[in-house]
Amino acid sequence: MSSQHGAAGSADGQLSIIENLIDLPFPRQDENPGREGGWSGPGYHLAVLRESQDFWDDRSEEVVEAAEQELEVDLVVLTATLTGRWGSPTSVDLWPYLGFDHPDPDYTAPEPLVFLSNVAGSMQVWQLPSTGRWLALTIGQADPEFPFQLLAAVGEAASLRDGTGGHGR
């Protein structure tokens, strides 16, 4: 039996969620997580494509690694499919979006980069032609006891700037 839970267990289901996010208009205000495990706000959408078990009862290295590896397999399959559509992704380091090294002490990155930078170290990003949007995939974990999550994010192209005039790539 698989230890995975969450929105879509198959690559086709995960791709369907991604395609819906790409086409979905951005809302004018933040929307609470929906029943599909996603949430949106001005300029972004986020979705949990698949989630592992949590690790409250067993945080042994063997259990944690097995859960993460299952999600990594899904990530590899999705990356290959999306690369076939839009070319190779860019790896984007999420550290700059935390704002610790930013010259402006009041800097706050836009969503979904704030959330993603708090749960993952990097993400694979595709620029979506003729949309002014990007699509990202990553695996994140909010805390050692929490589940791993395979995440998809869609954002406005301008949100990838790190606040210093450059890009976080």
Side-chain angles (χ1 to χ4, degrees):
M1 179 171 112
S2 174
S3 63
Q4 303 303 314
H5 311 283
S10 71
D12 288 341
Q14 293 165 356
L15 285 170
S16 177
I17 291 169
I18 289 168
E19 289 163 357
N20 288 337
L21 291 179
I22 290 169
D23 294 335
L24 193 64
F26 296 128
R28 293 181 188 259
Q29 59 188 14
D30 288 336
E31 296 180 355
N32 292 331
R35 60 190 169 118
E36 296 293 319
W39 58 102
S40 300
Y44 76 94
H45 300 295
L46 271 164
V48 177
L49 301 176
R50 193 165 179 204
E51 187 172 82
S52 74
Q53 70 190 47
D54 65 43
F55 305 102
W56 292 102
D57 295 328
D58 187 356
R59 288 190 351 208
S60 66
E61 187 174 332
E62 178 181 288
V63 168
V64 172
E65 283 182 13
E68 187 175 21
Q69 285 175 357
E70 283 187 44
L71 292 183
E72 286 175 359
V73 168
D74 283 9
L75 180 61
V76 167
V77 170
L78 287 172
T79 297
T81 301
L82 298 174
T83 295
R85 291 183 186 179
W86 298 305
S88 296
T90 301
S91 182
V92 173
D93 178 12
L94 291 166
W95 174 260
Y97 298 102
L98 290 171
F100 296 131
D101 296 331
H102 199 279
D104 177 356
D106 296 326
Y107 169 76
T108 300
E111 288 293 2
L113 298 167
V114 170
F115 173 80
L116 293 170
S117 66
N118 279 287
V119 299
S122 66
M123 60 185 184
Q124 298 300 308
V125 177
W126 292 265
Q127 297 298 323
L128 303 174
S130 305
T131 67
R133 295 179 174 198
W134 52 264
L135 164 71
L137 295 177
T138 192
I139 295 173
Q141 185 183 32
D143 208 40
E145 294 83 11
F146 287 15
F148 288 106
Q149 295 178 319
L150 175 58
L151 300 162
V154 174
E156 293 177 330
S159 67
L160 280 179
R161 291 192 178 86
D162 65 11
T164 60
H167 291 283
R169 296 183 258 195

